[in-house]
């Protein structure tokens, strides 16, 4: 199953709006017969790739799958039936499919006489499929907030200089995060200060994410801005009453405070098929997302540098006392060149993430997505 989870990760960034799935098939004697992963939406699922690799050796064998085999016909046929037809005797899957239109595969397998079990390495498989599971369960994209800071939490010096706090290795790792995401989001402050490009570089075969700039007044993205080139698709989010001028592709959203309504933004992105968002904006935008309870994961790159003054990574998030703090659980710490990459997820509790801010209607993906 751990091998299946590793295989599933190869599909990150290319399967949306489908889940990432990996499958390993052992023959009747317990030896590797075939393996595969879901490569792209509309293409064969992981089980089909693995069955094709296994051939007749799948008969009497065991399939390990990261997600419950589907039982419906969408753009591809039902994987549960494919496993039955191949003569597989046992199926172990890590995570039950929460999509009622695709679930039922386990029951189909049992009804055909196969031995079925689930839950093996379920937590690891859930983490690897967090974007798709968030979209199905909550009707919005999964949001990963990325920032780079000094050891004392500064993202820029007192004179606003910020290039480069972290190393080239850390910056290359950020491109991996972009390649695994459906959309990259920044705010008007970042657009004005950095004129960012936001496309993936240095990763062969990467599917370019949607570049999203939250430009409430439609004044930050000027003609000739790098995000308006042909390197990747771009969407500018502006207020309903703002003058779009010559901006090529905009989405109009309601105002909220000094910016735009974050749940409305995520709902609009979800409607466009976005299942994973990489938030790369500055402290004000990050604060707005945290205040809305819309941050599912945090990845911080910390450089062994001290500044003592300058902007901090997180702006006003509506937290006024320690009891309201958003507590995080660290899930990984890794050295990236001279820097440290820390990954953490919000803990349940009284902080902003527990508030019912994300009142986006739950929408289950249609069968054509699978």
């Amino acid at each position: 199953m751990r091998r299946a989870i590793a295989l599933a990760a190869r599909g990150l960034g290319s399967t949306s709006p489908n889940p990432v799935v990996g499958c390993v098939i052992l023959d009747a004697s317990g030896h590797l017969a075939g393996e595969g992963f879901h490569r792209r939406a509309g293409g064969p699922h992981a089980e089909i790739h693995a069955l094709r690799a296994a051939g007749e050796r799948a008969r009497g064998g065991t399939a390990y799958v990261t997600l419950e085999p589907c039982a419906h016909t969408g753009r591809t046929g039902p994987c549960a039936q494919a496993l039955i037809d191949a003569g597989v005797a046992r199926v172990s899957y890590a995570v039950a499919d929460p999509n009622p239109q695709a679930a039922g595969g386990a029951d189909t397998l049992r009804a055909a006489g196969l031995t079925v079990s689930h839950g093996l390495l379920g937590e690891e498989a859930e983490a690897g499929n967090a974007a798709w599971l968030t979209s199905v369960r909550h009707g919005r994209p999964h949001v990963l907030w990325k920032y780079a800071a000094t050891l004392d939490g500064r993202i820029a010096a007192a004179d606003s200089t910020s290039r480069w706090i972290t190393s080239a290795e850390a910056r290359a790792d950020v491109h991996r995060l972009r390649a695994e995401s459906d959309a990259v989001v920044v705010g008007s402050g970042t657009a004005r200060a950095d004129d960012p490009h936001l496309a993936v570089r240095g990763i062969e075969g990467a599917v370019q994410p949607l570049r999203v700039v939250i430009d409430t007044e439609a004044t930050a993205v000027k003609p000739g801005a790098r995000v308006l080139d042909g390197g990747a698709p771009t969407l500018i989010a502006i207020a309903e009453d703002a003058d779009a001028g010559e901006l090529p592709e905009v989405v109009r959203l309601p105002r909220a405070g000094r910016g735009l309504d974050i749940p409305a933004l995520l709902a609009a992105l979800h409607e466009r098929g976005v299942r994973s968002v990489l938030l790369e904006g500055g402290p004000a935008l990050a604060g707005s997302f945290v205040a809305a309870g819309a941050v599912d994961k945090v990845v911080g790159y910390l450089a062994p540098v001290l500044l003592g003054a300058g902007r901090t990574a997180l702006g006003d998030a509506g937290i006024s006392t320690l009891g309201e703090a958003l507590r995080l659980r660290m899930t990984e710490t890794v050295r990236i060149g001279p820097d440290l990459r820390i990954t953490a997820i919000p803990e349940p509790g009284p902080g902003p993430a527990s508030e019912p801010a994300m009142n986006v209607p739950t929408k289950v993906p249609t069968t054509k997505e699978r």
Side-chain angles (χ1 to χ4, degrees), residues 334-346:
V334 179
R335 281 283 298 270
I336 304 290
D339 306 318
L340 181 66
R341 185 187 71 206
I342 297 178
T343 303
I345 58 176

Side-chain angles (χ1 to χ4, degrees), residues 8-87:
R10 296 185 183 180
L12 286 169
S14 62
T15 65
S16 188
N18 284 6
V20 293
V21 184
C23 178
V24 173
I25 296 177
L26 306 184
D27 64 19
S29 62
H31 294 96
L32 178 64
E35 60 182 29
F37 65 96
H38 185 41
R39 299 170 183 267
R40 59 179 179 82
H45 291 181
E47 297 94 321
I48 305 306
H49 284 297
L51 287 170
R52 288 174 179 172
E56 282 299 313
R57 294 181 64 195
R59 191 165 300 278
T62 302
Y64 292 86
V65 195
T66 58
L67 184 67
E68 179 184 2
C70 63
H72 79 286
T73 300
R75 286 182 283 183
T76 59
C79 292
Q81 190 60 50
L83 291 165
I84 294 168
D85 293 343

